[in-house]
Amino acid sequence: MDVRVGLVGYGPAGAFFHAPLIRATPGLTLAAVVTRNSARRDEVAGKYGATPVSDVRELWGLCDIVVVASPNRTHVATAAAALAQGLPVVVDKPLARTAEEGRELVRLAEERGVMLTVFQNRRWDGDFRTVRKLVEEGRLGEVRRFESRFERWRPVPKGGWRETGGADEVGGLLYDLGSHLVDQALRLLGPVREVYCESDVRREGVASDDDTFIALTHASGARSHLWMSAVAARLGPRFRVLGSSGAFLKYGMDVQEEQLRAGVAPDSPEFGEDDEGSWGVLGTEDAHRAVRTEPGAYIDFYRGVAAALTEGAPPPVDPRSAIEALTVIEAAHLSATQRIVAHLT
């Protein structure tokens, strides 16, 4: 029998990411969805055959695992309520507002003996998978600098809690896109010792950061420079990775989000395949060549969830790694507000 999944929230994260990926994963069934919006209730029933419910507490008894894809401010309370019921939990990033809140969730999961994991889906971006492969194969030599960007041109705010909410909403780009950028830097280059951050609100009517830069010094001596912006009128490279024997340069975003929004099934052959014209370039100024982008594989996250629940495999994302990223994000916030370099021990 399939594992019954209860999804909390059917906004963009729930509708475009979690629900399609859950449906495409063998061994998982989307059984119930928490949403009060009448159109969304009709959609989850008609499209997925899932039971729409109005409150998280209605999930108890309807599902075997809870996926939290509701607004950031609700992540900790919702996850804690599910864990207290003895249910495994997937939490969309960010896991929590603070590292300490994240540690409390980990402790609760351990006490209950159930899985807790975090949807850090961009570990499975095709471009990042390509960078990791090149580094692991030694194609760049010693990596000395990792430059990574999530930039957009949105001079007019879209509205919504991510832009208009204050600190209580856990909004802004530092927690949104920064959760991915920091996580990728940690996965690639390891622990961080120093954090410097510049963070600004550039657009009228926006309450949270929309233009942020983070510089990380890793324990290895390598440096990561991370940009996240909604006001970049010309976009920089998605990745520029500089090593002792070569570099890798890649423009353009991973294709999976665009495909999911367009309704492409995550288990279809074309899903996650980058166009050849968008492949990155490896080498030096004098000698370089295009490198095929590894296929994007968001579905591997939920395959990992299914394996953890049915086979006892480790969760696809250790929640402690998400806490590590939150520690860096907190240090970045401290650096930006106090105009200092924050040191991590």
Side-chain angles (χ1 to χ4, degrees):
M1 180 180 292
D2 282 358
V3 174
R4 300 171 302 164
V5 181
L7 174 61
V8 183
Y10 199 70
F16 295 127
F17 288 89
H18 294 280
L21 291 168
I22 291 165
R23 178 170 62 178
T25 303
L28 300 182
T29 294
L30 185 59
V33 178
V34 179
T35 177
R36 296 184 179 90
N37 180 285
S38 59
R40 294 173 182 176
R41 291 169 70 90
D42 291 342
E43 180 175 330
V44 299
K47 188 174 183 178
Y48 297 101
T51 301
V53 299
S54 299
D55 189 272
V56 172
R57 290 169 293 185
E58 295 179 64
L59 290 180
W60 317 151
L62 294 178
C63 64
D64 306 304
I65 179 174
V66 172
V67 174
V68 181
S70 47
N72 291 351
R73 60 180 169 77
T74 68
H75 285 187
V76 171
T78 305
L83 291 170
Q85 293 292 319
L87 290 168
V89 175
V90 173
V91 184
D92 206 321
K93 61 78 196 167
L95 172 62
R97 183 176 59 87
T98 67
E100 182 52 37
E101 288 180 347
R103 283 188 283 268
E104 286 295 332
L105 288 178
V106 169
R107 282 193 283 267
L108 181 55
E110 290 175 343
E111 289 172 3
R112 295 290 176 167
V114 294
M115 184 199 73
L116 171 65
T117 190
V118 186
F119 188 61
Q120 293 286 173
N121 60 302
R122 292 196 177 273
R123 294 187 187 186
W124 288 270
D125 274 359
D127 47 19
F128 183 64
R129 295 184 71 210
T130 304
V131 170
R132 291 193 74 169
K133 182 178 180 181
L134 293 173
V135 171
E136 290 167 0
E137 292 177 349
R139 308 275 293 281
L140 298 169
E142 176 191 358
V143 176
R144 294 168 174 168
R145 189 178 301 276
F146 173 59
E147 298 178 3
S148 178
R149 292 172 173 82
F150 278 150
E151 294 178 327
R152 298 162 176 163
W153 175 233
R154 292 179 179 168
V156 179
K158 295 173 64 177
W161 61 267
R162 294 183 188 276
E163 293 183 331
T164 60
D168 291 344
E169 293 284 351
V170 200
L173 295 187
L174 180 58
Y175 274 95
D176 183 18
L177 302 179
S179 293
H180 291 307
L181 293 172
V182 170
D183 180 74
Q184 289 181 339
L186 289 169
R187 303 287 68 75
L188 191 70
L189 296 175
V192 167
R193 293 291 174 260
E194 294 181 354
V195 182
Y196 168 76
C197 179
E198 301 167 0
S199 189
D200 296 288
V201 179
R202 300 294 192 185
R203 296 170 297 170
E204 185 177 352
V206 172
S208 301
D209 68 290
D210 59 5
D211 188 21
T212 295
F213 166 75
I214 306 174
L216 307 177
T217 302
H218 296 265
S220 64
R223 298 184 187 273
S224 291
H225 284 181
L226 313 175
W227 288 265
M228 59 220 77
S229 179
V231 291
R234 293 294 301 271
L235 308 185
R238 174 67 187 90
F239 290 117
R240 190 172 79 128
V241 190
L242 305 179
S244 59
S245 59
F248 179 71
L249 184 68
K250 174 76 167 71
Y251 283 85
M253 292 294 295
D254 175 85
V255 299
Q256 292 173 95
E257 178 175 352
E258 180 181 355
Q259 289 178 326
L260 287 168
R261 288 179 178 273
V264 179
D267 54 352
S268 61
E270 68 271 26
F271 188 81
E273 289 289 347
D274 198 16
D275 182 78
E276 184 174 350
S278 298
W279 290 358
V281 175
L282 172 69
T284 65
E285 194 67 24
D286 299 324
H288 50 267
R289 65 178 183 83
V291 175
R292 178 180 180 270
T293 307
E294 292 292 305
Y298 290 169
I299 196 172
D300 281 359
F301 174 85
Y302 272 108
R303 286 172 177 161
V305 169
L309 297 178
T310 62
E311 303 170 16
V317 173
D318 187 332
R320 292 175 182 81
S321 67
I323 293 169
E324 184 183 11
L326 281 171
T327 301
V328 173
I329 288 172
E330 286 186 85
H333 179 72
L334 178 69
S335 169
T337 54
Q338 297 193 8
R339 304 193 177 206
I340 61 171
V341 174
H343 298 268
L344 303 179
T345 55

